[in-house]
Amino acid sequence: MEDQAHIRTREKPDVQGDAHPKQLLRTIIEDGDNLLPLEHQHILHADQFSAETLLQLFRLAAKYEANPERFSTPLQGKILVSAFYEPSTRTRLSFESAWHRLGGDIMSITDRSTTGIAKGESLADVGEMFNNYADCVVLRDTRQESLMEMRESLRIPIINAGNGLDEHPTQAMADLYTIFKWRPELIKKSLPKDERVSIGIIGVPDKMRTVRSLLKIFSIFPHAFSHVYLFNEEADEANEELIQSFRDRGLNVVQAGSKFDKHVSNLDVVYINAIAWTGDDFETFGTNFVLNKDTPFKEDAIVLHPLARGHELSTDLDDTRFNWYFAQARGAVFLRMALLTCLVHRKGRVLDVV
Ligand code: CP
């Protein structure tokens, strides 16, 4: 009985931030042709698709999210290989949840030593075998190169679910999907400058794959952001070169070092991450940046975090309106449902259904 009472008190409080998929669904006009570039594609980088294709992907995700019980069979008869060789709570389980929700079957590998890799088998040979067993592969690996090594032999799509320090494209897609649900008007290329949002990212782009992928996907929609402030204490020359590449694409990136306190009250979105995986371990960055209920956020600001969190994101923000990080994680399931549907040629089972 005591346990049940505890479960009831953990229901989502009204003040916590949330996203409204129906508004985004109404804002983006359906155009199935713009989903064609996703069919049978490998998902390697956050900036490999056009704005039009991403918006249609977000629309399909919103369609799933607006009516989660409606679609339970689009992936019936399809098989996913879920290969995660680095710890994961959200990415692995949300991909598997997405595939299950759409009626597909899954083979899951969480330890590479249970495969022929332990006997020296190459990833290209493992990929050759996957062609016979499944319709799609999701891979997270500690090594950046693994993705390309496996891709060599694959004739089915592979999704990069985090390759070392390099990229985490579907995390960035889920992050932007959350931002567009929060402010659907940001999708408009003609948005007046004073209606664009100012975002602060606490993180290190050349060491954190989530931050690098986030900046890459932002650079496809530079008109949505008045400023992208980067806060970290680790800026170096490699970082500057990377930042310049985003500026060249029209993103107004400002290196603001440790001056978060100076800017926070003007930021519409605060995105924070503190850890980066390196091999079989992780490093922590920005230990002086901590968000909590005393942080002087703008009245209607939102806080995003790819999670897992450390002490940089206090749990005392969980029950506040600033908390959009749980909605961000929840929305990732629908974003991944949409992506998987398109990759394995099953969008036809969904698009015409109202
Ligand atoms: N956001 C994210 O990549 O979380 P996991 O490491 O739990 O997959």
Side-chain angles (χ1 to χ4, degrees), residues 28-88:
I28 303 170
I29 297 161
E30 185 170 279
D31 179 354
D33 286 352
N34 275 315
L35 288 173
L36 288 172
L38 286 164
E39 290 202 349
H40 216 73
Q41 290 303 305
H42 300 309
I43 306 298
L44 308 174
H45 310 291
D47 55 355
Q48 75 184 74
F49 296 110
S50 68
E52 290 72 24
T53 292
L54 287 171
L55 289 177
Q56 289 302 316
L57 180 71
F58 296 157
R59 189 184 194 282
L60 182 54
K63 185 168 179 170
Y64 279 138
E65 188 169 1
N67 204 346
E69 312 298 328
R70 178 72 184 79
F71 303 94
S72 58
T73 58
L75 298 186
Q76 221 166 40
K78 296 282 185 182
I79 299 174
L80 177 74
V81 169
S82 167
F84 277 71
Y85 304 140
E86 185 207 277
S88 168

Side-chain angles (χ1 to χ4, degrees), residues 84 86-93 140 161 168 171 209-210 277 305-308 336:
F84 277 71
E86 185 207 277
S88 168
T89 303
R90 278 146 296 275
T91 314
R92 180 167 79 86
L93 296 177
R140 172 173 288 187
H168 194 350
Q171 177 66 50
R209 62 192 179 203
T210 53
W277 277 89
H305 191 310
L307 305 174
R336 288 176 173 133

